[in-house]
């Protein structure tokens, strides 16, 4: 019993001070927390991501001019093992000299054999409303290393639902669903890795000079964005 309470205010203070339980607490909570962060993979291209064919001084007026292959190094570094694919996105749609599909990539003219085959290609931009040409790119199988070991190139044309071997390593197709990835030798399913390194080759062709405005310099202007897709 609390005696000698003179006011409601003082009574409240006394009651609050006396509200702590006198019995012991027989349990305690343990909170387990943390944050699951997604694996991060970083792609890198040498040459600052630029392939420069230099000055092209001689073009045929009746035939397309095939330019020599230029190579650059491509690496992907992940902070934990991850299954990753590359999806190319065309930055110059509507500029291919050839038959272009809805993705901006398409087939080269029948006379052109990029990498020795009838390849798919992207456009090289335009100048004076004239189409300049086309290009294609490939990962060179012999150069491919996954975590330091040889690997196989595989591709999917249905966003990773199914995969097939692709020794040519060509990366540009009509299909917007094309993915390129890597498997252990002899397999056809993507393998998780920390590091991938390879040589990326780019081959291009220029339109006939009769189809271009040759009164001024013409700059090749192809652009592909290599998007990382986590599988």
């Amino acid at each position: 019993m609390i005696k000698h309470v003179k006011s409601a205010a003082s009574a409240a203070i006394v009651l609050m001070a006396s509200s702590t339980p006198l019995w012991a607490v027989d349990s305690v909570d343990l909170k387990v927390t943390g944050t699951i962060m997604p694996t991060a993979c970083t792609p890198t291209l040498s040459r600052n991501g630029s392939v420069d064919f230099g000055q092209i001084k001689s073009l045929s007026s009746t035939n397309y001019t095939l330019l020599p292959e230029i190579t650059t190094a491509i690496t992907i570094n992940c902070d934990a093992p991850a299954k990753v694919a590359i999806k190319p996105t065309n930055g110059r749609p509507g500029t291919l000299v050839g038959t272009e599909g809805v993705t901006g990539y398409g087939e080269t003219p029948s006379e052109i054999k990029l990498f020795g085959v009838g390849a798919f290609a992207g456009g090289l931009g335009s100048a004076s409303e004239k189409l300049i040409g086309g290009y294609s790119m490939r990962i060179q199988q012999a150069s491919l290393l996954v975590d330091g070991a040889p690997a196989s190139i595989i591709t999917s044309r249905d966003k990773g639902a199914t995969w097939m071997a692709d020794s040519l390593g060509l990366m540009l197709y009509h299909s917007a669903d094309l993915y390129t990835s890597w498997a252990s030798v002899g397999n056809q399913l993507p393998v998780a890795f920390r590091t991938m390194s390879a040589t990326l080759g780019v081959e291009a062709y220029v339109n006939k000079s009769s189809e271009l405005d040759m009164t001024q310099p013409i700059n090749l202007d192809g652009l592909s964005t290599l998007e990382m897709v986590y599988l």
Side-chain angles (χ1 to χ4, degrees):
M1 178 180 296
I2 301 174
K3 298 181 180 180
H4 306 295
V5 176
K6 296 183 179 180
S7 68
S10 61
I13 294 172
V14 172
L15 287 171
M16 290 177 66
S18 303
S19 62
T20 303
L22 299 179
W23 56 87
V25 177
D26 59 3
S27 67
V28 65
D29 293 335
L30 170 67
K31 292 183 179 180
V32 180
T33 64
T35 303
I36 298 174
M37 299 296 293
T39 298
C41 295
T42 304
T44 305
L45 291 170
S46 63
R47 299 175 178 266
N48 294 318
S50 179
V51 174
D52 186 0
F53 286 93
Q55 294 185 355
I56 305 163
K57 297 182 178 180
S58 179
L59 296 179
S60 170
S61 62
T62 57
N63 296 306
Y64 302 106
T65 299
L66 182 64
L67 304 179
E69 181 178 4
I70 293 180
T71 60
T72 185
I74 180 172
T75 60
I76 299 175
N77 291 300
C78 303
D79 56 20
K83 295 180 180 180
V84 178
I86 291 178
K87 174 186 175 183
T89 301
N90 189 4
R92 300 291 183 263
T95 68
L96 174 66
V97 175
T99 305
E100 186 172 304
V102 295
T103 66
Y105 299 119
E107 297 180 22
T108 63
S110 59
E111 304 96 307
I112 289 294
K113 304 296 183 185
L114 295 177
F115 304 119
V117 298
F120 291 94
L124 286 175
S126 61
S128 302
E129 300 184 350
K130 306 288 187 179
L131 302 183
I132 298 171
Y135 70 98
S136 191
M137 57 188 181
R138 66 171 176 175
I139 289 178
Q140 295 182 356
Q141 174 65 71
S143 69
L144 176 61
L145 294 175
V146 172
D147 288 336
S152 298
I153 302 168
I154 55 175
T155 58
S156 172
R157 301 187 187 185
D158 51 16
K159 294 185 177 180
T162 59
W163 294 90
M164 65 185 74
D166 184 4
S167 60
L168 290 176
L170 301 176
M171 298 181 66
L172 305 183
Y173 288 84
H174 275 303
S175 174
D177 299 334
L178 175 77
Y179 292 173
T180 298
S181 190
W182 305 275
S184 56
V185 175
N187 294 304
Q188 294 184 16
L189 290 176
V191 63
F193 65 89
R194 284 182 175 270
T195 302
M196 185 282 291
S197 63
T199 298
L200 182 70
V202 180
E203 203 164 78
Y205 60 96
V206 179
N207 207 348
K208 305 166 187 176
S209 63
S210 57
E211 299 292 329
L212 297 169
D213 179 1
M214 299 298 294
T215 63
Q216 58 186 349
I218 298 172
N219 296 316
L220 308 190
D221 188 30
L223 176 64
S224 286
T225 299
L226 303 183
E227 178 185 349
M228 304 287 296
V229 179
Y230 296 88
L231 304 173

